[in-house]
Amino acid sequence: MIAYIKGVFTEAEANAVVIETAGGVAYEIFVMSADLEKLPGRGEELKLYTYLQVKEDGVALFGFLSKTDLTVFKLLLTVSGIGPKSGLGILSSVGVADLRLAVLTEDADRIAAAPGIGKKTAGRLIIELKDKLAALTEELAGGFPAEPEEESTGTPAEKELRENAVQVLVALGYAQKEAVKAVKKITITEEMTEDDVVRFSLRELG
């Protein structure tokens, strides 16, 4: 198994990059759209954590800038009916953080928005991955905090929304301080739900 590939970033396409190693071998690696936006300049060093797919008609490499993203990708592949290309499509369409949030909040519509993923597959994905992703996010966060470090402001309902949103963000792997900071930037209106606060906070976190 190829754990990662490190070399010079030479080319980028719609959904793949080419890395040339020190030995002169150039690898084409499929990547998700979010990682395409974070690539270094051509000619600079690039390291991708990889998954190797072996089929009768050839092999393919899928790469990720983050080892955690690769872990989520591998979890997707354990779901019946989801292969590497469709798994990468889900991560490109939904995003890793939003996917984890959608699974934990059982938002099948968000997952079904990915190309080629119907409601039935989205529902199966949630059932099969909810516990696994919950365990992963808790591990990354080092446990769930009881309360945010900084005091929330506003009405009791607003405070509860903000505190719950911080706990969700921490469960998704963000540091508590940055989660609190992002949530505090959100102007909460009467019609907003906890999911809305989390979604807007994720935008603040980039």
Side-chain angles (χ1 to χ4, degrees):
M1 180 179 177
I2 303 173
Y4 65 82
I5 290 179
K6 181 168 67 174
V8 177
F9 168 45
T10 61
E11 297 178 36
E13 300 176 358
N15 61 346
V17 300
V18 175
I19 296 179
E20 183 176 343
T21 65
V25 179
Y27 293 90
E28 180 185 43
I29 307 171
F30 295 101
V31 297
M32 59 183 185
S33 55
D35 280 350
L36 278 174
E37 299 172 358
K38 302 174 185 176
L39 295 176
R42 285 179 173 79
E44 296 183 20
E45 185 178 84
L46 174 61
K47 177 180 178 180
L48 293 175
Y49 297 95
T50 56
Y51 172 85
L52 177 65
Q53 178 191 32
V54 180
K55 301 189 301 180
E56 291 183 358
D57 56 349
V59 297
L61 276 169
F62 298 81
F64 302 85
L65 291 172
S66 162
K67 201 169 185 178
T68 300
D69 292 350
L70 173 60
T71 299
V72 174
F73 174 73
K74 288 180 177 179
L75 286 177
L76 279 174
L77 301 187
T78 66
V79 179
S80 176
I82 296 181
K85 287 191 175 180
S86 57
L88 193 69
I90 292 173
L91 295 181
S92 291
S93 176
V94 181
V96 177
D98 277 358
L99 173 66
R100 289 156 69 182
L101 175 61
V103 171
L104 294 176
T105 58
E106 300 184 5
D107 186 355
D109 289 336
R110 182 71 182 95
I111 300 171
I117 303 299
K119 278 285 190 69
K120 187 176 180 180
T121 300
R124 184 167 62 247
L125 189 154
I126 289 171
I127 292 172
E128 295 186 20
L129 295 191
K130 188 171 184 179
D131 289 344
K132 295 178 182 178
L133 283 176
L136 174 63
T137 52
E138 185 171 1
E139 178 185 344
L140 292 171
F144 294 87
E147 296 180 1
E149 292 182 353
E150 299 181 30
E151 184 179 356
S152 299
T153 58
T155 66
E158 289 179 5
K159 289 181 180 180
E160 183 178 3
L161 275 178
R162 292 184 192 278
E163 290 171 2
N164 290 342
V166 168
Q167 290 187 7
V168 172
L169 291 172
V170 171
L172 290 172
Y174 292 98
Q176 184 172 332
K177 286 185 178 180
E178 64 178 350
V180 171
K181 185 177 179 180
V183 170
K184 287 183 69 176
K185 292 181 180 179
I186 307 305
T187 301
I188 295 180
T189 59
E190 291 184 1
E191 67 273 11
M192 288 178 69
T193 65
E194 180 184 312
D195 287 349
D196 293 327
V197 179
V198 172
R199 190 172 295 108
F200 288 126
S201 298
L202 284 169
R203 294 177 184 175
E204 292 291 338
L205 289 164

